[in-house]
Amino acid sequence: MAHIERRRLRQRDASGRTRTVVHYKVRYRDASGKHHSETKTRLVDAERRKAEIEVALATATWRDPRRGELSLAEWARSWLPTRLDLRPTTWARLETTMQKQVLPHFGSVPLNRITNAMVRQWVSTLLSSGLSAATTRKAVFALRQCLAAAIADERIKINAASAVPLPAERQKPPRYLSQGEVERLVDQMPRQYRALVLVGAYAGLRWGEAAGLRRRDIDMLRSRIRVTSTAVQLRGRVTFDNEPKTTRSKRSVPVARSVMRRLEQHLTESVDQTADALVFTAPAGGPLFRSWGRAVLRPAVLRAGLDDITFHGLRHSFVAIMVAAGCNVREVSEWAGHNSVAFTLTRYGGLFEDSADAAVDRLDALLDGKVAGAILDSLPPPNHAG
C-alpha cells in the first residue's frame, strides 16, 4: 500500500536566505511491483493523493500518471500509423494537417499539459494568421482525434480539444453549367479529352472515378457507366481499382444515348480494345494526374468564356441537368453516388421544384369549406352519454 514520507529540505528564497521547507512524498508500488513516488507541498494533499492511489490499486484502475508526459509529437508518431480505418487520401490529408498546423504549435507539449484554453488561443492564432475557417476546423478535428486516442490509451483523462468554439464554414453555392455551356467547353477541349468533360457533366463522375474508368465499365448496349472503383493519387503516384469514396459511390449511371454515341467514338479512336484499358490517359500515355485540371481544363474554360469552373463543377452541372430532366431527388442522389438523400437535398435543394404553391391550393380548398364540410359530415356524431 502507499505511505507518506515527511522530508525537510533547505532551499534559498528570492532574497538569498536559506530556509527549511517541508515536502511530503507519497510512495507506493504498482501491480507489477515497480516503485513510484509523487511529491506534495501540503500534508492534506499528500493524504488525499495516498487515499486515491490506494483505491485505484485495490480496484485495478490505477494508471501511471507519467504516461501523459509523452509529447504530442511522440504520441502522433505512434498514433498515425494505426489509423487503418481511413482511405489513403484521407490519411494523407490528416498527416498533412498534423504536420502543418497541429505539431508546430503543440508538438513539444506533453499530452497532460494541453489545456482547453491553449486550444482556444491556438484557434484564434490560426484565424488571425489568415487561415480559412475550413482549414482551421480540420486542424482542431485532427487534434481532437489525436487526443481521443490518448484517452483510449489511458494517457490522459479529458480531451482538451472538445468544447472549443469553431468558426462557421461558409460554403460557396455550387457553380452549374447549362447544357449549352457544357457544349462550349467541349468544343474548346483537345479532342482526346472531350469525352472526359462528357462523363463529368453528363454522368457526374468524380475525378478519381473518371481517371480510373476502364473500357469494361462502359455499357454501350444499355447506355450505362458502371462506377466500381476509383483512381487515387498519393505522393506523386496514381493507383487504380481502389474502393470508391463510400458504399453508395458504387453505382450504375444512366447516360443519354446521344452522349453514349460520342463516348463510343472516343473508345474507337483513343482507347485500346482490351477490357482493362483506361478510358482516359495522359497525352503521352499512362495515368492522368490532378494537374490535368490546371494544365488542360483551365485554359479550355477560359477559351470558352466560362470562368470559375473545375472538374468537380462539372459534377454539380450533372445534378442540375438531371433535375432539369425531371429526375426526382432519390434518383439524383443514387446516380450521383451521394452518401444520402439528405445530403442531396441539403446541397442541391434549391434545384428541386417547390411544392408550396400546391400546398396553398390544398389548404384553400380545405378552409373555404369545400373539403371541410365533407370531412365533418363523415365524422361520427358526438357521444353525449354520461
Side-chain angles (χ1 to χ4, degrees), residues 200-242:
Y202 296 138
L205 269 62
R206 300 177 175 93
W207 169 257
E209 295 167 348
L213 197 66
R214 298 185 185 274
R215 175 183 275 273
R216 64 169 179 263
D217 298 322
I218 298 182
D219 185 346
M220 289 181 287
L221 185 63
R222 299 179 62 239
S223 204
R224 304 281 194 278
I225 292 180
R226 290 185 295 270
V227 180
T228 58
S229 63
T230 185
V232 173
Q233 179 178 329
L234 194 60
R235 295 188 176 90
R237 180 169 172 262
V238 177
T239 60
F240 297 96
D241 303 318
N242 300 281

Side-chain angles (χ1 to χ4, degrees), residues 91-303:
W91 189 94
R93 284 195 294 270
L94 175 62
E95 182 190 37
T96 299
T97 298
M98 291 294 295
Q99 294 294 337
K100 287 188 174 182
Q101 279 88 43
V102 179
L103 294 181
H105 193 89
F106 290 108
S108 62
V109 183
L111 292 170
N112 56 10
R113 297 292 181 88
I114 300 174
T115 67
N116 184 267
M118 291 169 64
V119 178
R120 287 170 179 250
Q121 183 58 48
W122 171 58
V123 170
S124 297
T125 301
L126 292 178
L127 291 172
S128 62
S129 70
L131 207 64
S132 70
T135 305
T136 300
R137 291 171 66 90
K138 289 174 184 175
V140 175
F141 295 155
L143 176 60
R144 189 177 295 171
Q145 293 175 50
C146 187
L147 295 180
I151 292 174
D153 199 47
E154 298 182 325
R155 293 183 177 274
I156 53 177
K157 292 183 178 180
I158 61 172
N159 194 324
S162 296
V164 175
L166 296 177
E169 184 177 351
R170 294 182 179 179
Q171 193 173 52
K172 290 183 180 180
R175 166 78 163 92
Y176 310 113
L177 294 184
S178 66
Q179 181 183 352
E181 290 174 324
V182 170
E183 294 302 328
R184 273 166 47 197
L185 178 57
V186 170
D187 290 341
Q188 295 300 324
M189 292 296 296
R191 186 173 182 83
Q192 71 183 103
Y193 293 126
R194 291 177 178 176
L196 184 51
V197 173
L198 297 179
V199 300
Y202 296 138
L205 269 62
R206 300 177 175 93
W207 169 257
E209 295 167 348
L213 197 66
R214 298 185 185 274
R215 175 183 275 273
R216 64 169 179 263
D217 298 322
I218 298 182
D219 185 346
M220 289 181 287
L221 185 63
R222 299 179 62 239
S223 204
R224 304 281 194 278
I225 292 180
R226 290 185 295 270
V227 180
T228 58
S229 63
T230 185
V232 173
Q233 179 178 329
L234 194 60
R235 295 188 176 90
R237 180 169 172 262
V238 177
T239 60
F240 297 96
D241 303 318
N242 300 281
E243 283 294 305
K245 185 176 182 180
T246 65
T247 302
R248 280 172 57 92
S249 293
K250 288 186 176 182
R251 61 199 188 277
S252 178
V253 185
V255 178
R257 292 183 179 86
S258 59
V259 174
M260 185 56 72
R261 285 193 291 270
R262 296 157 79 181
L263 292 180
E264 184 177 6
Q265 182 179 1
H266 171 77
L267 293 176
T268 302
E269 295 177 352
S270 306
V271 182
D272 189 83
Q273 293 298 314
T274 60
D276 287 342
L278 290 173
V279 176
F280 305 109
T281 60
L288 278 177
F289 285 79
R290 286 187 175 274
S291 56
W292 177 91
R294 184 173 59 256
V296 180
L297 179 61
R298 182 62 179 164
V301 168
L302 295 177
R303 288 194 298 270

